[in-house]
Amino acid sequence: MNPNDVTIRPFDHSDADYAARIAIGNGLFPDYVETVDEAKHEDAHRDPKIHLERWMAVAPDGAVVATASAGQSSWSFHPRKLWIDINVRREWQGQGIGARLYDHLRASIEPFAPGKLSVGVREDYAASRRFVESRGFAELMREWENHLDVATYDPTPFAGKPEAVEAGGIRLATLAEVMAEDPGGWGRRLFDVSNAAAADIPSADAHTDPDFAVWFDKFVSSPNLLPDGYMVALDGDQMVGLSTLWRSQGEPEVAYTGITGVVRSHRRRGIALALKLRALDYARQQGYRKVKTWNNTGNRGMLSINYALGFKPQPAWIDYALILDPALAEATAWENPGTYVDPAL
């Protein structure tokens, strides 16, 4: 089919467009099933300063055959840094539709004078890698996806680790407990420790704190929040670490690790391991079949913890970038993996 026969139109936020977009994504990535409700929640709670645009490619018979998106990130915000995403239904791939969507996106975001474009590709998707590399994108970093089979998880070798941390003056608690104890202040405390940990996690771009009100509204209303599986470490009133689990509407037997991190002043005390052990105990008690997490391939500290716990590596995700302004190539938080100090230890 001639790709010019496909009509490209804006995403209209109708139930039909949501269903079509989610169906295409789930078909291409069956290991990351998303639901329409999850997608709508994400859109309804997006930071208003963040640009996001979506496009639908429609065949002459009215079928949606591909989607494309471009936007900015609230966690590494820069007005001239944008990410892009293009998904074409498998049976329509190789016909030039993705190329047309890419050209359409580039023209659409030109008013932002983009200096850096980012895209993520799984390493075993060879055609996708060829697509981005042929357009000048270069690899910046990789993240292992790691899975834990909860049924075979054995915490016996780590017996007493959480108790030892608590004996050293650190309290390990669930977010549910902290919310009940401090209903008016827990949000700001969690926001601060989350940003402190995230700022040191390897990334292709430097971390920026999101707007607190936007973050808080999105957080407390999330359909995937697990307050009893969201573990925090406290030194007195100060939150000093966290290890988080989230549910998935599309994969009810799977829990996702959002972030594990410890503030710099409290590292190297076994807090991260203790928090992860408590989170995994929760996952086992609740009957989750699998826990998924992601780690930069050079993040030896966090990887060593996860592999000791029994996580197994899956195909890596590659962060690619097209640098259009050399000045923006320098703004990276992952320039020297040899000197990186893992934030979780």
Side-chain angles (χ1 to χ4, degrees), residues 22 25-26 28-35 38 122 124-125 145 147 248 250-251 256 292 294 314-315 317:
I22 297 304
N26 290 345
L28 295 173
F29 302 101
D31 294 334
Y32 319 100
V33 179
E34 186 180 16
T35 68
E38 288 171 319
R122 217 170 78 167
D124 55 340
Y125 282 34
E145 179 176 344
H147 293 179
S248 165
E251 298 177 280
Y256 286 78
K292 296 182 180 181
W294 285 261
Q314 309 299 312
W317 283 86

Side-chain angles (χ1 to χ4, degrees), residues 175 186 190 214-222 225 230 246:
L175 179 60
W186 69 266
L190 182 63
V214 174
W215 172 87
F216 185 77
D217 181 55
K218 179 179 178 180
F219 183 88
V220 297
S221 63
S222 172
L225 178 62
Y230 205 106
W246 297 83

Side-chain angles (χ1 to χ4, degrees), residues 222-301:
S222 172
N224 294 332
L225 178 62
L226 292 171
D228 290 313
Y230 205 106
M231 305 298 165
V232 296
L234 301 105
D235 187 352
D237 291 333
Q238 181 191 6
M239 285 190 191
V240 297
L242 71 169
S243 187
T244 72
L245 286 182
W246 297 83
R247 68 164 63 92
S248 165
Q249 304 298 306
E251 298 177 280
E253 296 183 344
V254 176
Y256 286 78
T257 300
I259 183 174
T260 298
V262 175
V263 300
R264 294 183 181 184
S265 60
H266 286 67
R267 292 174 190 162
R268 308 294 179 183
R269 295 169 58 176
I271 296 173
L273 175 60
L275 288 167
K276 288 208 63 120
L277 289 168
R278 288 285 173 87
L280 294 178
D281 283 347
Y282 171 84
R284 186 174 56 175
Q285 293 164 9
Q286 296 300 310
Y288 285 100
R289 177 179 56 85
K290 181 184 295 184
V291 175
K292 296 182 180 181
T293 189
W294 285 261
N295 306 103
N296 181 275
T297 53
N299 193 345
R300 291 179 294 276

